[in-house]
């Protein structure tokens, strides 16, 4: 495939990494530390290698933010000289849209440039990619979650997780060690995050000491701290799910939803439904307001989506579950492994799981 990301640079002008570094002082002087300051030696001190990696990741996400906001999105397929790339039944991938492909290339290019990444495993690739023998980290990513919503200008996002490279596997062939490194359980994550592309561009991340969010200041090109140490409310009043599937749900899930929206659960207030059908957006709202966001069928990916978001939820005092077990304790067996996903407030999640039968097994093959 042609290197679409470089050939599209004229379509989507962005700031250079040098310009980004020169503008750091402006926001700090105004009382809003930048992302790089916040994670550096004067802040969380996550380590030089991780700071370098994060610098390249946030640069990639600024490029994707410009890409999804561009008026030229509709011409991408023609510009790339082809249509979307097909996922294979064997790999478990979905059909990739042009924006998925370009976003994937942008992230891969930034990870290569960082010099800190040994392996990238992406939802858009059949198998993990070996990048650098000396890279200390493994990055798993969904480069552009919710891309089907782009044409309607509905929020989308990038999800990522970072693991330490397993040096004990270094003697194996590249393909084998790339795969095994990518199949680490979520409990071994050293960092995770998402970037929400919406009315604001927000990078939310955890490095194992709380969950923090940074908003892109377009006047300087920097992510600045806006939500330090996010704490998800122990109980919310919102559930997020596609309840058009109600009659395909198991009895336990139907009973839970019927109970909370009537105000007959442990919270006497009636719950409201809020559903965007964009995982990052639905999770971001849940993180701030509380409640539960869910997809009860085997649809979301353990490696690229469930693990990173569950890590963020737990670091904010919430929970991530498949309806029965803690997500971060599940050992992946395939890079594109799918499962039900429930994320949210600790008390809401405990109440939901108490209904037992909440995983949807009926899957007739929905078109939308």
């Amino acid at each position: 495939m042609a290197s679409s990301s470089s050939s599209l640079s004229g379509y989507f002008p962005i700031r250079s990494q040098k310009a980004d570094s020169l503008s750091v002082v402006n926001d700090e002087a105004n009382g809003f530390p930048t992302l790089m300051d916040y994670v550096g030696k004067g802040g969380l001190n996550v380590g030089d290698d991780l700071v370098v990696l994060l610098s390249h990741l946030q640069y990639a996400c600024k490029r994707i933010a410009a890409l999804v906001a561009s008026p030229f999105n509709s011409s991408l397929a023609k510009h790339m000289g082809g249509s979307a790339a097909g996922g294979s039944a064997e790999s478990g991938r979905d059909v990739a849209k042009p924006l998925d492909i370009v976003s994937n290339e942008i992230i891969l290019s930034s990870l290569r440039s960082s010099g800190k990444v040994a392996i990238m495993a992406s939802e858009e690739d059949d198998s993990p990619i070996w990048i650098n023998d000396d890279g200390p980290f493994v990055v798993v990513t969904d480069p552009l979650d919710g891309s089907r919503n782009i044409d309607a200008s509905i929020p989308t996002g990038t999800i990522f997780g970072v693991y330490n490279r397993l040096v004990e596997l270094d003697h194996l062939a590249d393909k084998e060690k790339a795969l095994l490194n990518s199949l680490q359980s979520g409990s071994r994550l050293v960092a995770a995050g998402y970037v929400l592309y919406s009315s604001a561009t927000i990078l939310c991340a955890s490095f194992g000491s709380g969950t923090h969010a940074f908003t892109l200041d377009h006047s300087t090109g920097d992510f600045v701290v806006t939500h330090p140490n996010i704490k998800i409310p122990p109980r919310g009043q919102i559930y997020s799910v596609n309840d058009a599937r109600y009659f395909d749900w198991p009895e336990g899930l139907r009973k839970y939803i019927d109970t909370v929206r009537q105000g007959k659960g442990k919270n006497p207030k009636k719950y409201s439904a809020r559903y965007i059908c964009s995982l990052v957006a639905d999770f971001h709202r849940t993180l701030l307001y509380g409640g539960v966001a869910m997809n009860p069928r085997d649809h979301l990916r353990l490696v690229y989506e469930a693990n990173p978001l569950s890590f963020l939820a737990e670091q904010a005092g919430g929970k991530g579950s498949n309806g029965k077990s803690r997500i971060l304790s599940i050992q992946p067996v395939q890079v594109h492994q799918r499962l039900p996903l429930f994320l949210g407030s600790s008390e809401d999640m405990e109440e939901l799981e108490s209904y037992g039968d909440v995983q949807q097994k009926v899957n007739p093959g929905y078109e939308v």
Side-chain angles (χ1 to χ4, degrees):
M1 182 171 59
S3 58
S4 308
S5 57
S6 58
S7 60
L8 289 168
S9 58
Y11 278 73
F12 310 110
I14 54 169
R15 298 173 59 89
S16 70
Q17 285 177 292
K18 183 178 180 182
D20 286 342
S21 63
L22 290 174
S23 64
V24 165
V25 230
N26 296 335
D27 285 305
E28 192 175 46
N30 293 328
F32 292 93
T34 66
L35 170 63
M36 292 294 97
D37 291 325
Y38 197 79
V39 300
K41 290 181 179 177
L44 296 177
N45 194 16
V46 301
D48 291 346
D49 286 342
L50 194 51
V51 168
V52 171
L53 169 57
L54 188 60
S55 173
H56 284 77
L57 266 175
Q58 56 101 29
Y59 175 70
C61 291
K62 290 175 194 176
R63 295 191 65 188
I64 296 172
L67 179 71
V68 299
S70 169
F72 303 109
N73 284 332
S74 58
S75 65
L76 268 179
K78 183 184 296 185
H79 189 82
M80 291 171 66
S83 58
S88 65
E90 292 78 14
S91 71
R93 289 198 301 114
D94 289 334
V95 174
K97 295 180 177 296
L99 277 173
D100 293 313
I101 297 168
V102 177
S103 299
N104 195 53
E105 289 184 356
I106 288 171
I107 291 178
L108 177 59
S109 174
S110 286
L111 296 186
R112 286 189 193 278
S113 298
S114 76
K116 301 298 181 182
V117 179
I119 299 138
M120 181 181 105
S122 168
E123 183 176 323
E124 304 308 333
D125 297 317
D126 285 341
S127 55
I129 297 171
W130 187 265
I131 296 175
N132 180 352
D133 287 343
D134 300 321
F137 297 120
V138 177
V139 174
V140 298
T141 183
D142 180 353
L144 191 59
D145 175 75
S147 57
R148 69 173 65 184
N149 293 322
I150 286 283
D151 291 343
S153 297
I154 293 173
T156 54
T158 295
I159 304 171
F160 63 88
V162 181
Y163 296 92
N164 288 317
R165 187 183 94 240
L166 299 174
V167 294
E168 60 268 30
L169 302 178
D170 284 353
H171 65 285
L172 300 174
D174 286 357
K175 186 175 181 179
E176 186 177 3
K177 63 186 177 184
L179 176 61
L180 293 175
N181 269 282
S182 302
L183 291 176
Q184 298 183 58
S185 72
S187 61
R188 300 177 67 102
L189 280 162
V190 297
Y194 63 79
V195 179
L196 173 66
Y197 310 114
S198 185
S199 55
T201 299
I202 297 175
L203 189 156
C204 183
S206 176
F207 309 92
S209 56
T211 297
H212 318 277
F214 309 81
T215 302
L216 183 61
D217 180 348
H218 290 281
S219 69
T220 65
D222 291 305
F223 282 103
V224 297
V225 182
T226 49
H227 300 76
N229 294 304
I230 295 171
K231 298 298 179 187
I232 184 170
R235 184 176 288 280
Q237 201 180 337
I238 297 171
Y239 71 89
S240 179
V241 67
N242 185 352
D243 55 10
R245 315 294 187 219
Y246 179 90
F247 294 104
D248 291 332
W249 292 347
E251 182 181 354
L253 184 56
R254 291 200 306 269
K255 187 175 179 182
Y256 169 75
I257 295 296
D258 288 343
T259 299
V260 297
R261 63 185 175 189
Q262 293 178 78
K264 295 181 178 179
K266 293 183 179 179
N267 184 350
K269 296 181 179 179
K270 294 181 180 180
Y271 279 43
S272 294
R274 299 284 186 275
Y275 182 63
I276 303 170
C277 194
S278 177
L279 177 59
V280 170
D282 280 317
F283 176 67
H284 183 69
R285 182 197 55 247
T286 303
L287 194 61
L288 297 181
Y289 299 160
V292 184
M294 67 186 91
N295 189 321
R297 61 191 177 100
D298 289 334
H299 180 69
L300 298 173
R301 281 79 172 176
L302 173 59
V303 172
Y304 314 114
E305 297 166 318
N307 273 335
L309 296 185
S310 295
F311 184 78
L312 291 167
E314 288 196 7
Q315 288 293 320
K319 295 182 69 175
S321 167
N322 68 353
K324 295 181 178 179
S325 305
R326 175 181 179 240
I327 289 291
L328 298 184
S329 298
I330 298 173
Q331 175 59 53
V333 293
Q334 297 176 335
V335 287
H336 296 285
Q337 179 177 341
R338 299 178 189 244
L339 79 177
L341 180 60
F342 302 83
L343 298 159
S345 299
S346 56
E347 293 179 14
D348 283 312
M349 289 288 292
E350 288 165 9
E351 183 174 2
L352 168 68
E353 290 178 328
S354 72
Y355 283 77
D357 186 18
V358 296
Q359 295 178 332
Q360 178 184 336
K361 300 302 181 186
V362 176
N363 190 356
Y366 306 114
E367 292 185 8
V368 293

